[in-house]
Amino acid sequence: SAVISQKPSRDICQRGTSLTIQCQVDSQVTMMFWYRQQPGQSLTLIATANQGSEATYESGFVIDKFPISRPNLTFSTLTVSNMSPEDSSIYLCSVESGTGGDIQYFGAGTRLSVL
Amino acid sequence: GENVEQHPSTLSVQEGDSAVIKCTYSDSASNYFPWYKQELGKRPQLIIDIRSNVGEKKDQRIAVTLNKTAKHFSLHITETQPEDSAVYFCAASKSNAGKSTFGDGTTLTVKP
């Protein structure tokens, strides 16, 4: 299994500002994932963060809006830039672990409200 | 890319009854199918999974079945309890290939 610490757990931000979310894992993992979950909805993958290379973004998400860092095998950050109320959501980081390397473990999430 | 459809979106059962949630996937190369439970305000947590070389897997009151030919898999919960009330997500992925594609979720309510 993997234990993930994510912070902050929640924040209220002003329009036009940026917020950086941190994700720390208790073991080395190849891939870390960042998801967005809007209220009452499913998980939408924003990007996959690999150590030593640029993140891979899903359709509809761009690096300028959601820059990601992955400085080592246990840590990643996601920045939500130039925020608008539409960015209000829960952001979750996730890693794969387990026998087949494909069981996903999630952080507790960051509940972001943009005013 | 992979597309996962999940239904029903909401399900209400009486305590002690069974609940069944179904998912279909589109990519025949997918070979790993987990189910996650997300309680209100909490993170999703894996409750059971199945790989494509197995047709059924059971863990106490929870079971998952997989039909590779039809590309669908189902979650079965027997003897439901109020604490089973949560949102359940199915997902599909290729092992060691990274990202999972999630269904839209099913809100299960178990009435005492």
Side-chain angles (χ1 to χ4, degrees), chain A residues 4 31 33 35 37 41-43 45 58 92 96 100-104 106-108, chain B residues 32 36 38 41 43-44 46 49 51 89 93 95-100 102-104:
Chain A
I4 303 171
M31 288 183 283
F33 306 94
Y35 287 88
Q37 186 176 31
Q41 308 225 347
S42 187
L43 296 95
L45 183 64
E58 298 299 308
L92 298 126
E96 285 191 336
D102 43 24
I103 297 173
Q104 284 196 262
F106 289 87
Chain B
Y32 177 64
Y36 295 88
Q38 187 175 31
R43 74 190 78 189
L46 179 75
D49 58 7
R51 300 181 193 277
F89 293 100
S93 69
S95 287
N96 296 314
K99 60 183 181 180
S100 296
F102 285 81
D104 287 340

PDB file of all heavy atoms in Angstrom, chain A residues 4 31 33 35 37 41-43 45 58 92 96 100-104 106-108, chain B residues 32 36 38 41 43-44 46 49 51 89 93 95-100 102-104:
ATOM      1  N   ILE A   4      -0.370   8.577   1.499  1.00  0.00           N
ATOM      2  CA  ILE A   4      -0.198   9.845   0.800  1.00  0.00           C
ATOM      3  C   ILE A   4      -0.627  10.989   1.703  1.00  0.00           C
ATOM      4  O   ILE A   4      -1.734  10.966   2.255  1.00  0.00           O
ATOM      5  CB  ILE A   4      -1.036   9.874  -0.490  1.00  0.00           C
ATOM      6  CG1 ILE A   4      -0.648   8.706  -1.401  1.00  0.00           C
ATOM      7  CG2 ILE A   4      -0.862  11.195  -1.228  1.00  0.00           C
ATOM      8  CD1 ILE A   4      -1.559   8.534  -2.590  1.00  0.00           C
ATOM      9  N   MET A  31       4.924   6.864 -11.116  1.00  0.00           N
ATOM     10  CA  MET A  31       3.945   7.822 -11.614  1.00  0.00           C
ATOM     11  C   MET A  31       3.089   8.364 -10.471  1.00  0.00           C
ATOM     12  O   MET A  31       2.704   7.627  -9.564  1.00  0.00           O
ATOM     13  CB  MET A  31       3.050   7.169 -12.666  1.00  0.00           C
ATOM     14  CG  MET A  31       3.760   6.923 -13.988  1.00  0.00           C
ATOM     15  SD  MET A  31       2.685   6.234 -15.258  1.00  0.00           S
ATOM     16  CE  MET A  31       2.608   4.529 -14.722  1.00  0.00           C
ATOM     17  N   PHE A  33      -0.444  10.893 -10.097  1.00  0.00           N
ATOM     18  CA  PHE A  33      -1.551  11.405 -10.885  1.00  0.00           C
ATOM     19  C   PHE A  33      -2.262  12.524 -10.132  1.00  0.00           C
ATOM     20  O   PHE A  33      -2.403  12.469  -8.919  1.00  0.00           O
ATOM     21  CB  PHE A  33      -2.559  10.286 -11.175  1.00  0.00           C
ATOM     22  CG  PHE A  33      -1.956   9.065 -11.801  1.00  0.00           C
ATOM     23  CD1 PHE A  33      -1.548   8.000 -11.013  1.00  0.00           C
ATOM     24  CD2 PHE A  33      -1.785   8.976 -13.164  1.00  0.00           C
ATOM     25  CE1 PHE A  33      -0.986   6.863 -11.572  1.00  0.00           C
ATOM     26  CE2 PHE A  33      -1.224   7.846 -13.739  1.00  0.00           C
ATOM     27  CZ  PHE A  33      -0.820   6.788 -12.943  1.00  0.00           C
ATOM     28  N   TYR A  35      -5.938  14.480 -10.060  1.00  0.00           N
ATOM     29  CA  TYR A  35      -7.325  14.426 -10.487  1.00  0.00           C
ATOM     30  C   TYR A  35      -8.080  15.653  -9.984  1.00  0.00           C
ATOM     31  O   TYR A  35      -7.736  16.251  -8.965  1.00  0.00           O
ATOM     32  CB  TYR A  35      -8.022  13.188  -9.912  1.00  0.00           C
ATOM     33  CG  TYR A  35      -7.624  11.880 -10.533  1.00  0.00           C
ATOM     34  CD1 TYR A  35      -6.534  11.164 -10.056  1.00  0.00           C
ATOM     35  CD2 TYR A  35      -8.351  11.337 -11.590  1.00  0.00           C
ATOM     36  CE1 TYR A  35      -6.172   9.949 -10.619  1.00  0.00           C
ATOM     37  CE2 TYR A  35      -8.003  10.119 -12.158  1.00  0.00           C
ATOM     38  CZ  TYR A  35      -6.916   9.427 -11.664  1.00  0.00           C
ATOM     39  OH  TYR A  35      -6.573   8.223 -12.227  1.00  0.00           O
ATOM     40  N   GLN A  37     -12.108  16.595  -8.953  1.00  0.00           N
ATOM     41  CA  GLN A  37     -13.426  16.025  -8.710  1.00  0.00           C
ATOM     42  C   GLN A  37     -14.371  17.159  -8.345  1.00  0.00           C
ATOM     43  O   GLN A  37     -14.289  17.711  -7.241  1.00  0.00           O
ATOM     44  CB  GLN A  37     -13.394  14.969  -7.607  1.00  0.00           C
ATOM     45  CG  GLN A  37     -14.731  14.265  -7.432  1.00  0.00           C
ATOM     46  CD  GLN A  37     -14.695  13.152  -6.413  1.00  0.00           C
ATOM     47  OE1 GLN A  37     -13.944  13.195  -5.439  1.00  0.00           O
ATOM     48  NE2 GLN A  37     -15.512  12.139  -6.620  1.00  0.00           N
ATOM     49  N   GLN A  41     -19.486  14.651  -8.774  1.00  0.00           N
ATOM     50  CA  GLN A  41     -19.063  14.118 -10.060  1.00  0.00           C
ATOM     51  C   GLN A  41     -17.931  13.108  -9.888  1.00  0.00           C
ATOM     52  O   GLN A  41     -17.454  12.858  -8.787  1.00  0.00           O
ATOM     53  CB  GLN A  41     -18.619  15.265 -10.974  1.00  0.00           C
ATOM     54  CG  GLN A  41     -19.645  16.367 -11.086  1.00  0.00           C
ATOM     55  CD  GLN A  41     -19.869  16.836 -12.495  1.00  0.00           C
ATOM     56  OE1 GLN A  41     -19.104  16.530 -13.397  1.00  0.00           O
ATOM     57  NE2 GLN A  41     -20.929  17.574 -12.704  1.00  0.00           N
ATOM     58  N   SER A  42     -17.537  12.564 -11.020  1.00  0.00           N
ATOM     59  CA  SER A  42     -16.492  11.555 -11.006  1.00  0.00           C
ATOM     60  C   SER A  42     -15.108  12.202 -10.967  1.00  0.00           C
ATOM     61  O   SER A  42     -14.982  13.418 -10.896  1.00  0.00           O
ATOM     62  CB  SER A  42     -16.623  10.674 -12.242  1.00  0.00           C
ATOM     63  OG  SER A  42     -15.725   9.595 -12.172  1.00  0.00           O
ATOM     64  N   LEU A  43     -14.105  11.375 -11.030  1.00  0.00           N
ATOM     65  CA  LEU A  43     -12.726  11.852 -11.023  1.00  0.00           C
ATOM     66  C   LEU A  43     -12.259  12.058 -12.457  1.00  0.00           C
ATOM     67  O   LEU A  43     -12.352  11.152 -13.284  1.00  0.00           O
ATOM     68  CB  LEU A  43     -11.812  10.851 -10.326  1.00  0.00           C
ATOM     69  CG  LEU A  43     -12.098  10.637  -8.847  1.00  0.00           C
ATOM     70  CD1 LEU A  43     -13.001   9.452  -8.613  1.00  0.00           C
ATOM     71  CD2 LEU A  43     -10.790  10.443  -8.089  1.00  0.00           C
ATOM     72  N   LEU A  45      -8.979  12.984 -14.719  1.00  0.00           N
ATOM     73  CA  LEU A  45      -7.523  13.054 -14.672  1.00  0.00           C
ATOM     74  C   LEU A  45      -7.051  14.357 -15.307  1.00  0.00           C
ATOM     75  O   LEU A  45      -7.420  14.674 -16.440  1.00  0.00           O
ATOM     76  CB  LEU A  45      -6.917  11.863 -15.400  1.00  0.00           C
ATOM     77  CG  LEU A  45      -5.397  11.757 -15.388  1.00  0.00           C
ATOM     78  CD1 LEU A  45      -4.872  11.557 -13.966  1.00  0.00           C
ATOM     79  CD2 LEU A  45      -4.929  10.626 -16.292  1.00  0.00           C
ATOM     80  N   GLU A  58      -3.931  15.677 -19.847  1.00  0.00           N
ATOM     81  CA  GLU A  58      -5.101  15.148 -20.542  1.00  0.00           C
ATOM     82  C   GLU A  58      -5.762  16.260 -21.350  1.00  0.00           C
ATOM     83  O   GLU A  58      -5.517  17.453 -21.125  1.00  0.00           O
ATOM     84  CB  GLU A  58      -6.091  14.556 -19.553  1.00  0.00           C
ATOM     85  CG  GLU A  58      -5.530  13.381 -18.775  1.00  0.00           C
ATOM     86  CD  GLU A  58      -5.133  12.214 -19.663  1.00  0.00           C
ATOM     87  OE1 GLU A  58      -5.982  11.771 -20.477  1.00  0.00           O
ATOM     88  OE2 GLU A  58      -3.978  11.773 -19.574  1.00  0.00           O
ATOM     89  N   LEU A  92      -7.218  15.915  -6.143  1.00  0.00           N
ATOM     90  CA  LEU A  92      -6.668  14.726  -5.486  1.00  0.00           C
ATOM     91  C   LEU A  92      -5.404  14.271  -6.190  1.00  0.00           C
ATOM     92  O   LEU A  92      -5.359  14.236  -7.417  1.00  0.00           O
ATOM     93  CB  LEU A  92      -7.671  13.571  -5.516  1.00  0.00           C
ATOM     94  CG  LEU A  92      -8.994  13.783  -4.785  1.00  0.00           C
ATOM     95  CD1 LEU A  92     -10.153  13.509  -5.707  1.00  0.00           C
ATOM     96  CD2 LEU A  92      -9.079  12.865  -3.584  1.00  0.00           C
ATOM     97  N   GLU A  96       0.146   4.806  -7.935  1.00  0.00           N
ATOM     98  CA  GLU A  96      -0.112   3.388  -8.164  1.00  0.00           C
ATOM     99  C   GLU A  96       0.852   2.563  -7.338  1.00  0.00           C
ATOM    100  O   GLU A  96       2.035   2.854  -7.258  1.00  0.00           O
ATOM    101  CB  GLU A  96       0.049   3.049  -9.643  1.00  0.00           C
ATOM    102  CG  GLU A  96      -1.105   3.527 -10.494  1.00  0.00           C
ATOM    103  CD  GLU A  96      -1.047   2.962 -11.889  1.00  0.00           C
ATOM    104  OE1 GLU A  96       0.052   2.603 -12.343  1.00  0.00           O
ATOM    105  OE2 GLU A  96      -2.109   2.888 -12.525  1.00  0.00           O
ATOM    106  N   GLY A 100       0.378  -5.637  -9.008  1.00  0.00           N
ATOM    107  CA  GLY A 100       0.506  -5.380 -10.436  1.00  0.00           C
ATOM    108  C   GLY A 100       0.906  -3.966 -10.735  1.00  0.00           C
ATOM    109  O   GLY A 100       0.972  -3.560 -11.901  1.00  0.00           O
ATOM    110  N   GLY A 101       1.172  -3.202  -9.693  1.00  0.00           N
ATOM    111  CA  GLY A 101       1.552  -1.805  -9.884  1.00  0.00           C
ATOM    112  C   GLY A 101       0.430  -0.960 -10.371  1.00  0.00           C
ATOM    113  O   GLY A 101       0.662   0.104 -10.940  1.00  0.00           O
ATOM    114  N   ASP A 102      -0.805  -1.389 -10.169  1.00  0.00           N
ATOM    115  CA  ASP A 102      -1.907  -0.626 -10.735  1.00  0.00           C
ATOM    116  C   ASP A 102      -3.023  -0.311  -9.749  1.00  0.00           C
ATOM    117  O   ASP A 102      -4.015   0.294 -10.139  1.00  0.00           O
ATOM    118  CB  ASP A 102      -2.480  -1.357 -11.956  1.00  0.00           C
ATOM    119  CG  ASP A 102      -2.605  -2.838 -11.716  1.00  0.00           C
ATOM    120  OD1 ASP A 102      -2.692  -3.255 -10.544  1.00  0.00           O
ATOM    121  OD2 ASP A 102      -2.605  -3.593 -12.705  1.00  0.00           O
ATOM    122  N   ILE A 103      -2.886  -0.674  -8.493  1.00  0.00           N
ATOM    123  CA  ILE A 103      -3.865  -0.256  -7.498  1.00  0.00           C
ATOM    124  C   ILE A 103      -3.590   1.193  -7.164  1.00  0.00           C
ATOM    125  O   ILE A 103      -2.463   1.583  -6.885  1.00  0.00           O
ATOM    126  CB  ILE A 103      -3.763  -1.121  -6.232  1.00  0.00           C
ATOM    127  CG1 ILE A 103      -4.095  -2.576  -6.564  1.00  0.00           C
ATOM    128  CG2 ILE A 103      -4.690  -0.584  -5.151  1.00  0.00           C
ATOM    129  CD1 ILE A 103      -3.869  -3.529  -5.412  1.00  0.00           C
ATOM    130  N   GLN A 104      -4.625   2.009  -7.229  1.00  0.00           N
ATOM    131  CA  GLN A 104      -4.451   3.433  -6.977  1.00  0.00           C
ATOM    132  C   GLN A 104      -4.805   3.782  -5.547  1.00  0.00           C
ATOM    133  O   GLN A 104      -5.829   3.340  -5.019  1.00  0.00           O
ATOM    134  CB  GLN A 104      -5.296   4.259  -7.943  1.00  0.00           C
ATOM    135  CG  GLN A 104      -4.701   4.315  -9.329  1.00  0.00           C
ATOM    136  CD  GLN A 104      -5.304   5.415 -10.184  1.00  0.00           C
ATOM    137  OE1 GLN A 104      -6.187   5.160 -10.976  1.00  0.00           O
ATOM    138  NE2 GLN A 104      -4.833   6.629 -10.033  1.00  0.00           N
ATOM    139  N   PHE A 106      -5.216   7.201  -3.014  1.00  0.00           N
ATOM    140  CA  PHE A 106      -5.492   8.620  -3.161  1.00  0.00           C
ATOM    141  C   PHE A 106      -5.108   9.394  -1.906  1.00  0.00           C
ATOM    142  O   PHE A 106      -5.212   8.886  -0.787  1.00  0.00           O
ATOM    143  CB  PHE A 106      -6.979   8.842  -3.433  1.00  0.00           C
ATOM    144  CG  PHE A 106      -7.418   8.393  -4.799  1.00  0.00           C
ATOM    145  CD1 PHE A 106      -7.802   7.084  -5.025  1.00  0.00           C
ATOM    146  CD2 PHE A 106      -7.430   9.281  -5.855  1.00  0.00           C
ATOM    147  CE1 PHE A 106      -8.192   6.659  -6.283  1.00  0.00           C
ATOM    148  CE2 PHE A 106      -7.821   8.876  -7.122  1.00  0.00           C
ATOM    149  CZ  PHE A 106      -8.198   7.557  -7.329  1.00  0.00           C
ATOM    150  N   GLY A 107      -4.695  10.635  -2.124  1.00  0.00           N
ATOM    151  CA  GLY A 107      -4.574  11.554  -1.016  1.00  0.00           C
ATOM    152  C   GLY A 107      -5.958  11.962  -0.546  1.00  0.00           C
ATOM    153  O   GLY A 107      -6.971  11.655  -1.190  1.00  0.00           O
ATOM    154  N   ALA A 108      -5.995  12.675   0.567  1.00  0.00           N
ATOM    155  CA  ALA A 108      -7.275  13.063   1.155  1.00  0.00           C
ATOM    156  C   ALA A 108      -7.956  14.178   0.372  1.00  0.00           C
ATOM    157  O   ALA A 108      -9.131  14.463   0.593  1.00  0.00           O
ATOM    158  CB  ALA A 108      -7.080  13.478   2.611  1.00  0.00           C
TER     159      ALA A 108
ATOM    160  N   TYR B  32      -7.485  -4.447 -16.138  1.00  0.00           N
ATOM    161  CA  TYR B  32      -7.563  -4.282 -14.687  1.00  0.00           C
ATOM    162  C   TYR B  32      -8.777  -3.434 -14.370  1.00  0.00           C
ATOM    163  O   TYR B  32      -8.945  -2.349 -14.934  1.00  0.00           O
ATOM    164  CB  TYR B  32      -6.283  -3.622 -14.163  1.00  0.00           C
ATOM    165  CG  TYR B  32      -6.320  -3.352 -12.678  1.00  0.00           C
ATOM    166  CD1 TYR B  32      -6.399  -4.396 -11.762  1.00  0.00           C
ATOM    167  CD2 TYR B  32      -6.299  -2.058 -12.185  1.00  0.00           C
ATOM    168  CE1 TYR B  32      -6.446  -4.153 -10.404  1.00  0.00           C
ATOM    169  CE2 TYR B  32      -6.347  -1.807 -10.836  1.00  0.00           C
ATOM    170  CZ  TYR B  32      -6.422  -2.856  -9.946  1.00  0.00           C
ATOM    171  OH  TYR B  32      -6.478  -2.614  -8.605  1.00  0.00           O
ATOM    172  N   TYR B  36     -13.979   1.439  -6.398  1.00  0.00           N
ATOM    173  CA  TYR B  36     -13.631   2.318  -5.294  1.00  0.00           C
ATOM    174  C   TYR B  36     -14.903   2.763  -4.600  1.00  0.00           C
ATOM    175  O   TYR B  36     -15.935   2.997  -5.227  1.00  0.00           O
ATOM    176  CB  TYR B  36     -12.868   3.549  -5.795  1.00  0.00           C
ATOM    177  CG  TYR B  36     -11.515   3.228  -6.385  1.00  0.00           C
ATOM    178  CD1 TYR B  36     -11.384   2.910  -7.733  1.00  0.00           C
ATOM    179  CD2 TYR B  36     -10.383   3.215  -5.589  1.00  0.00           C
ATOM    180  CE1 TYR B  36     -10.146   2.597  -8.278  1.00  0.00           C
ATOM    181  CE2 TYR B  36      -9.145   2.905  -6.123  1.00  0.00           C
ATOM    182  CZ  TYR B  36      -9.040   2.596  -7.472  1.00  0.00           C
ATOM    183  OH  TYR B  36      -7.816   2.274  -7.994  1.00  0.00           O
ATOM    184  N   GLN B  38     -16.299   5.779  -2.086  1.00  0.00           N
ATOM    185  CA  GLN B  38     -15.984   7.113  -1.583  1.00  0.00           C
ATOM    186  C   GLN B  38     -17.112   7.574  -0.671  1.00  0.00           C
ATOM    187  O   GLN B  38     -18.218   7.865  -1.120  1.00  0.00           O
ATOM    188  CB  GLN B  38     -15.782   8.112  -2.724  1.00  0.00           C
ATOM    189  CG  GLN B  38     -15.288   9.475  -2.231  1.00  0.00           C
ATOM    190  CD  GLN B  38     -14.980  10.428  -3.365  1.00  0.00           C
ATOM    191  OE1 GLN B  38     -15.597  10.385  -4.423  1.00  0.00           O
ATOM    192  NE2 GLN B  38     -14.008  11.315  -3.153  1.00  0.00           N
ATOM    193  N   GLY B  41     -17.029  13.308   1.749  1.00  0.00           N
ATOM    194  CA  GLY B  41     -15.904  14.072   2.276  1.00  0.00           C
ATOM    195  C   GLY B  41     -14.617  13.301   2.429  1.00  0.00           C
ATOM    196  O   GLY B  41     -13.641  13.824   2.978  1.00  0.00           O
ATOM    197  N   ARG B  43     -11.626  10.321   0.802  1.00  0.00           N
ATOM    198  CA  ARG B  43     -10.953   9.932  -0.431  1.00  0.00           C
ATOM    199  C   ARG B  43     -11.513   8.626  -0.966  1.00  0.00           C
ATOM    200  O   ARG B  43     -12.022   7.811  -0.194  1.00  0.00           O
ATOM    201  CB  ARG B  43      -9.452   9.780  -0.150  1.00  0.00           C
ATOM    202  CG  ARG B  43      -9.083   8.525   0.639  1.00  0.00           C
ATOM    203  CD  ARG B  43      -7.655   8.557   1.088  1.00  0.00           C
ATOM    204  NE  ARG B  43      -7.441   9.409   2.245  1.00  0.00           N
ATOM    205  CZ  ARG B  43      -6.244   9.734   2.717  1.00  0.00           C
ATOM    206  NH1 ARG B  43      -5.147   9.327   2.119  1.00  0.00           N
ATOM    207  NH2 ARG B  43      -6.136  10.490   3.798  1.00  0.00           N
ATOM    208  N   PRO B  44     -11.414   8.388  -2.267  1.00  0.00           N
ATOM    209  CA  PRO B  44     -11.819   7.074  -2.797  1.00  0.00           C
ATOM    210  C   PRO B  44     -10.884   5.991  -2.263  1.00  0.00           C
ATOM    211  O   PRO B  44      -9.669   6.192  -2.178  1.00  0.00           O
ATOM    212  CB  PRO B  44     -11.638   7.235  -4.313  1.00  0.00           C
ATOM    213  CG  PRO B  44     -11.584   8.707  -4.558  1.00  0.00           C
ATOM    214  CD  PRO B  44     -10.983   9.304  -3.319  1.00  0.00           C
ATOM    215  N   LEU B  46     -10.029   1.717  -2.557  1.00  0.00           N
ATOM    216  CA  LEU B  46     -10.249   0.460  -3.270  1.00  0.00           C
ATOM    217  C   LEU B  46     -10.979  -0.531  -2.366  1.00  0.00           C
ATOM    218  O   LEU B  46     -10.603  -0.734  -1.215  1.00  0.00           O
ATOM    219  CB  LEU B  46      -8.905  -0.128  -3.683  1.00  0.00           C
ATOM    220  CG  LEU B  46      -8.963  -1.460  -4.425  1.00  0.00           C
ATOM    221  CD1 LEU B  46      -9.418  -1.247  -5.854  1.00  0.00           C
ATOM    222  CD2 LEU B  46      -7.599  -2.142  -4.398  1.00  0.00           C
ATOM    223  N   ASP B  49     -11.007  -5.564  -6.657  1.00  0.00           N
ATOM    224  CA  ASP B  49     -10.581  -5.416  -8.041  1.00  0.00           C
ATOM    225  C   ASP B  49     -10.556  -6.779  -8.712  1.00  0.00           C
ATOM    226  O   ASP B  49     -10.599  -7.817  -8.056  1.00  0.00           O
ATOM    227  CB  ASP B  49      -9.220  -4.732  -8.140  1.00  0.00           C
ATOM    228  CG  ASP B  49      -8.118  -5.479  -7.376  1.00  0.00           C
ATOM    229  OD1 ASP B  49      -8.367  -6.594  -6.877  1.00  0.00           O
ATOM    230  OD2 ASP B  49      -7.006  -4.929  -7.260  1.00  0.00           O
ATOM    231  N   ARG B  51      -8.844  -8.812 -12.364  1.00  0.00           N
ATOM    232  CA  ARG B  51      -8.000  -8.734 -13.544  1.00  0.00           C
ATOM    233  C   ARG B  51      -8.616  -9.612 -14.630  1.00  0.00           C
ATOM    234  O   ARG B  51      -9.419 -10.499 -14.359  1.00  0.00           O
ATOM    235  CB  ARG B  51      -6.578  -9.160 -13.201  1.00  0.00           C
ATOM    236  CG  ARG B  51      -5.978  -8.263 -12.137  1.00  0.00           C
ATOM    237  CD  ARG B  51      -4.546  -8.616 -11.757  1.00  0.00           C
ATOM    238  NE  ARG B  51      -4.165  -7.915 -10.526  1.00  0.00           N
ATOM    239  CZ  ARG B  51      -3.731  -6.669 -10.506  1.00  0.00           C
ATOM    240  NH1 ARG B  51      -3.594  -5.991 -11.625  1.00  0.00           N
ATOM    241  NH2 ARG B  51      -3.421  -6.093  -9.357  1.00  0.00           N
ATOM    242  N   PHE B  89     -17.337   3.923  -7.478  1.00  0.00           N
ATOM    243  CA  PHE B  89     -16.793   4.176  -8.817  1.00  0.00           C
ATOM    244  C   PHE B  89     -16.158   2.906  -9.358  1.00  0.00           C
ATOM    245  O   PHE B  89     -15.382   2.243  -8.659  1.00  0.00           O
ATOM    246  CB  PHE B  89     -15.713   5.256  -8.776  1.00  0.00           C
ATOM    247  CG  PHE B  89     -16.217   6.625  -8.423  1.00  0.00           C
ATOM    248  CD1 PHE B  89     -16.081   7.122  -7.134  1.00  0.00           C
ATOM    249  CD2 PHE B  89     -16.802   7.436  -9.381  1.00  0.00           C
ATOM    250  CE1 PHE B  89     -16.530   8.388  -6.802  1.00  0.00           C
ATOM    251  CE2 PHE B  89     -17.261   8.705  -9.056  1.00  0.00           C
ATOM    252  CZ  PHE B  89     -17.128   9.176  -7.760  1.00  0.00           C
ATOM    253  N   SER B  93      -8.325   0.006 -16.648  1.00  0.00           N
ATOM    254  CA  SER B  93      -6.990   0.428 -17.056  1.00  0.00           C
ATOM    255  C   SER B  93      -6.225  -0.766 -17.616  1.00  0.00           C
ATOM    256  O   SER B  93      -6.669  -1.903 -17.531  1.00  0.00           O
ATOM    257  CB  SER B  93      -6.223   1.016 -15.865  1.00  0.00           C
ATOM    258  OG  SER B  93      -5.910   0.006 -14.921  1.00  0.00           O
ATOM    259  N   SER B  95      -2.738  -2.724 -17.061  1.00  0.00           N
ATOM    260  CA  SER B  95      -1.759  -2.871 -15.991  1.00  0.00           C
ATOM    261  C   SER B  95      -0.445  -2.198 -16.344  1.00  0.00           C
ATOM    262  O   SER B  95       0.052  -2.345 -17.459  1.00  0.00           O
ATOM    263  CB  SER B  95      -1.503  -4.353 -15.711  1.00  0.00           C
ATOM    264  OG  SER B  95      -2.590  -4.927 -15.064  1.00  0.00           O
ATOM    265  N   ASN B  96       0.100  -1.471 -15.396  1.00  0.00           N
ATOM    266  CA  ASN B  96       1.389  -0.805 -15.534  1.00  0.00           C
ATOM    267  C   ASN B  96       1.428   0.221 -16.657  1.00  0.00           C
ATOM    268  O   ASN B  96       2.496   0.672 -17.038  1.00  0.00           O
ATOM    269  CB  ASN B  96       2.517  -1.826 -15.741  1.00  0.00           C
ATOM    270  CG  ASN B  96       2.693  -2.727 -14.530  1.00  0.00           C
ATOM    271  OD1 ASN B  96       2.711  -2.257 -13.395  1.00  0.00           O
ATOM    272  ND2 ASN B  96       2.791  -4.008 -14.764  1.00  0.00           N
ATOM    273  N   ALA B  97       0.297   0.568 -17.178  1.00  0.00           N
ATOM    274  CA  ALA B  97       0.267   1.574 -18.244  1.00  0.00           C
ATOM    275  C   ALA B  97      -0.102   2.934 -17.705  1.00  0.00           C
ATOM    276  O   ALA B  97      -0.161   3.895 -18.457  1.00  0.00           O
ATOM    277  CB  ALA B  97      -0.702   1.163 -19.339  1.00  0.00           C
ATOM    278  N   GLY B  98      -0.368   3.022 -16.399  1.00  0.00           N
ATOM    279  CA  GLY B  98      -0.675   4.318 -15.818  1.00  0.00           C
ATOM    280  C   GLY B  98      -2.151   4.522 -15.586  1.00  0.00           C
ATOM    281  O   GLY B  98      -2.808   3.719 -14.971  1.00  0.00           O
ATOM    282  N   LYS B  99      -2.670   5.558 -16.151  1.00  0.00           N
ATOM    283  CA  LYS B  99      -3.966   6.109 -15.783  1.00  0.00           C
ATOM    284  C   LYS B  99      -5.125   5.139 -15.893  1.00  0.00           C
ATOM    285  O   LYS B  99      -5.189   4.273 -16.758  1.00  0.00           O
ATOM    286  CB  LYS B  99      -4.262   7.320 -16.664  1.00  0.00           C
ATOM    287  CG  LYS B  99      -4.306   7.008 -18.140  1.00  0.00           C
ATOM    288  CD  LYS B  99      -4.535   8.260 -18.964  1.00  0.00           C
ATOM    289  CE  LYS B  99      -4.597   7.927 -20.441  1.00  0.00           C
ATOM    290  NZ  LYS B  99      -4.813   9.125 -21.270  1.00  0.00           N
ATOM    291  N   SER B 100      -6.067   5.339 -14.972  1.00  0.00           N
ATOM    292  CA  SER B 100      -7.340   4.636 -15.003  1.00  0.00           C
ATOM    293  C   SER B 100      -8.418   5.577 -15.526  1.00  0.00           C
ATOM    294  O   SER B 100      -8.349   6.787 -15.325  1.00  0.00           O
ATOM    295  CB  SER B 100      -7.735   4.190 -13.595  1.00  0.00           C
ATOM    296  OG  SER B 100      -6.813   3.264 -13.075  1.00  0.00           O
ATOM    297  N   PHE B 102     -12.359   6.354 -15.054  1.00  0.00           N
ATOM    298  CA  PHE B 102     -13.385   6.102 -14.054  1.00  0.00           C
ATOM    299  C   PHE B 102     -14.782   6.234 -14.643  1.00  0.00           C
ATOM    300  O   PHE B 102     -15.020   7.056 -15.550  1.00  0.00           O
ATOM    301  CB  PHE B 102     -13.243   7.098 -12.899  1.00  0.00           C
ATOM    302  CG  PHE B 102     -12.089   6.805 -11.991  1.00  0.00           C
ATOM    303  CD1 PHE B 102     -10.803   7.188 -12.335  1.00  0.00           C
ATOM    304  CD2 PHE B 102     -12.282   6.126 -10.801  1.00  0.00           C
ATOM    305  CE1 PHE B 102      -9.724   6.900 -11.511  1.00  0.00           C
ATOM    306  CE2 PHE B 102     -11.212   5.845  -9.965  1.00  0.00           C
ATOM    307  CZ  PHE B 102      -9.932   6.225 -10.323  1.00  0.00           C
ATOM    308  N   GLY B 103     -15.710   5.434 -14.113  1.00  0.00           N
ATOM    309  CA  GLY B 103     -17.112   5.642 -14.407  1.00  0.00           C
ATOM    310  C   GLY B 103     -17.617   6.867 -13.660  1.00  0.00           C
ATOM    311  O   GLY B 103     -16.902   7.471 -12.858  1.00  0.00           O
ATOM    312  N   ASP B 104     -18.861   7.225 -13.931  1.00  0.00           N
ATOM    313  CA  ASP B 104     -19.424   8.443 -13.350  1.00  0.00           C
ATOM    314  C   ASP B 104     -19.862   8.292 -11.899  1.00  0.00           C
ATOM    315  O   ASP B 104     -20.216   9.280 -11.254  1.00  0.00           O
ATOM    316  CB  ASP B 104     -20.606   8.934 -14.184  1.00  0.00           C
ATOM    317  CG  ASP B 104     -20.160   9.539 -15.509  1.00  0.00           C
ATOM    318  OD1 ASP B 104     -18.974   9.912 -15.604  1.00  0.00           O
ATOM    319  OD2 ASP B 104     -20.981   9.626 -16.429  1.00  0.00           O
TER     320      ASP B 104
END
